[in-house]
Coordinates of all heavy atoms in Angstrom, one line a residue:
D17 N -74.4 6.1 73.5 CA -74.0 4.7 73.2 C -74.7 4.1 72.0 O -74.1 3.4 71.2 CB -74.4 3.8 74.4 CG -73.4 4.0 75.6 OD1 -72.3 4.4 75.3 OD2 -73.8 3.7 76.7
S24 N -68.3 2.8 63.2 CA -67.1 1.9 63.5 C -65.9 2.8 63.6 O -65.9 3.9 63.2 CB -67.0 0.9 62.3 OG -66.1 1.5 61.3
I38 N -81.6 24.6 66.5 CA -81.1 23.4 67.2 C -80.1 23.8 68.3 O -80.0 23.1 69.3 CB -80.4 22.5 66.1 CG1 -80.2 21.1 66.6 CG2 -79.1 23.1 65.7 CD1 -81.5 20.3 66.5
G42 N -80.7 23.0 72.5 CA -79.7 22.4 73.3 C -79.0 21.2 72.6 O -78.2 20.4 73.3
L56 N -66.1 11.7 70.9 CA -65.8 10.6 69.9 C -64.4 10.4 69.8 O -63.9 9.2 69.8 CB -66.5 11.0 68.5 CG -68.0 10.9 68.4 CD1 -68.5 11.6 67.2 CD2 -68.5 9.5 68.5
N58 N -62.1 11.0 71.9 CA -61.6 10.3 73.1 C -61.9 8.8 73.2 O -61.2 8.0 73.8 CB -62.2 11.0 74.3 CG -61.6 10.6 75.6 OD1 -60.4 10.7 75.7 ND2 -62.4 10.2 76.6
V74 N -81.6 24.8 52.8 CA -82.0 24.5 51.5 C -81.0 23.6 50.8 O -79.8 23.5 51.2 CB -82.2 25.8 50.6 CG1 -83.4 26.5 51.1 CG2 -80.9 26.6 50.7
V99 N -75.7 14.2 61.7 CA -76.3 15.5 61.5 C -77.0 16.0 62.8 O -78.0 15.4 63.2 CB -77.4 15.4 60.4 CG1 -78.0 16.8 60.1 CG2 -76.7 14.8 59.1
A101 N -79.0 18.4 63.6 CA -79.9 19.4 63.1 C -81.3 18.9 63.1 O -81.5 17.7 63.5 CB -79.4 19.8 61.7
K161 N -89.8 14.4 77.9 CA -90.3 13.3 78.7 C -91.5 12.6 78.1 O -91.5 11.3 78.0 CB -90.8 13.9 80.1 CG -90.5 13.0 81.3 CD -90.8 13.8 82.5 CE -90.6 13.0 83.7 NZ -90.9 13.8 84.9
K164 N -90.4 10.5 75.1 CA -89.3 9.5 75.4 C -88.1 9.8 74.6 O -87.4 9.0 74.1 CB -89.8 8.1 75.2 CG -90.9 7.7 76.1 CD -91.1 6.2 76.2 CE -92.1 5.7 77.2 NZ -93.4 6.3 77.1
V232 N -47.0 35.1 75.8 CA -46.4 34.5 77.0 C -44.9 34.5 76.8 O -44.4 34.7 75.7 CB -46.9 33.1 77.3 CG1 -48.4 33.1 77.6 CG2 -46.6 32.1 76.1
L281 N -72.5 51.0 76.5 CA -73.9 51.2 76.9 C -74.8 51.1 75.7 O -76.0 50.8 75.8 CB -74.0 52.7 77.5 CG -73.4 52.9 78.8 CD1 -73.5 54.3 79.2 CD2 -74.1 52.0 79.9
T293 N -64.8 42.2 78.7 CA -64.3 41.5 79.8 C -62.8 41.8 80.0 O -62.4 42.0 81.2 CB -64.5 40.0 79.6 OG1 -65.9 39.7 79.3 CG2 -64.0 39.1 80.7
P313 N -70.3 53.4 58.3 CA -71.7 53.0 58.4 C -71.9 51.5 58.7 O -71.1 50.7 58.2 CB -72.2 53.4 57.0 CG -71.2 54.2 56.3 CD -69.9 54.0 57.0
S369 N -74.7 39.5 49.1 CA -73.5 38.6 49.1 C -74.0 37.1 49.1 O -75.2 36.8 49.1 CB -72.6 38.8 50.3 OG -73.3 38.2 51.5
L386 N -70.5 41.9 65.0 CA -71.5 41.1 64.2 C -72.6 40.7 65.2 O -72.3 40.1 66.2 CB -70.9 39.9 63.6 CG -69.9 40.1 62.4 CD1 -69.4 38.7 61.9 CD2 -70.5 40.9 61.3
E388 N -76.9 39.2 65.6 CA -78.2 38.7 65.0 C -79.2 39.8 65.1 O -79.3 40.5 66.2 CB -78.7 37.5 65.8 CG -77.9 36.3 65.6 CD -78.1 35.2 66.7 OE1 -77.4 35.3 67.7 OE2 -79.0 34.4 66.5
K389 N -79.9 40.0 64.0 CA -80.9 41.1 64.0 C -82.0 40.8 65.0 O -82.5 41.6 65.7 CB -81.5 41.2 62.6 CG -81.6 42.7 62.2 CD -82.0 42.7 60.7 CE -81.5 44.0 60.1 NZ -81.8 44.1 58.7
R401 N -90.1 40.1 67.7 CA -89.8 41.4 67.0 C -89.7 41.0 65.5 O -90.1 41.8 64.6 CB -88.5 42.0 67.4 CG -88.8 42.9 68.6 CD -87.5 43.4 69.2 NE -87.1 42.5 70.2 CZ -85.8 42.3 70.6 NH1 -84.9 42.9 70.0 NH2 -85.5 41.5 71.6
C409 N -87.9 28.9 57.4 CA -88.0 27.4 57.3 C -89.2 27.0 56.5 O -90.3 27.5 56.6 CB -88.2 26.9 58.7 SG -88.1 25.1 58.7
L414 N -96.4 22.2 58.2 CA -96.6 21.0 59.0 C -97.2 21.4 60.4 O -97.5 20.5 61.2 CB -95.3 20.2 59.2 CG -94.7 19.7 57.9 CD1 -93.4 19.0 58.1 CD2 -95.7 18.7 57.2

Side-chain angles (χ1 to χ4, degrees):
D17 284 338
S24 89
I38 199 78
L56 288 169
N58 193 53
V74 290
V99 185
K161 214 171 181 181
K164 297 195 174 53
V232 296
L281 290 174
T293 304
S369 74
L386 292 180
E388 289 159 272
K389 226 173 205 176
R401 270 172 269 154
C409 185
L414 298 175

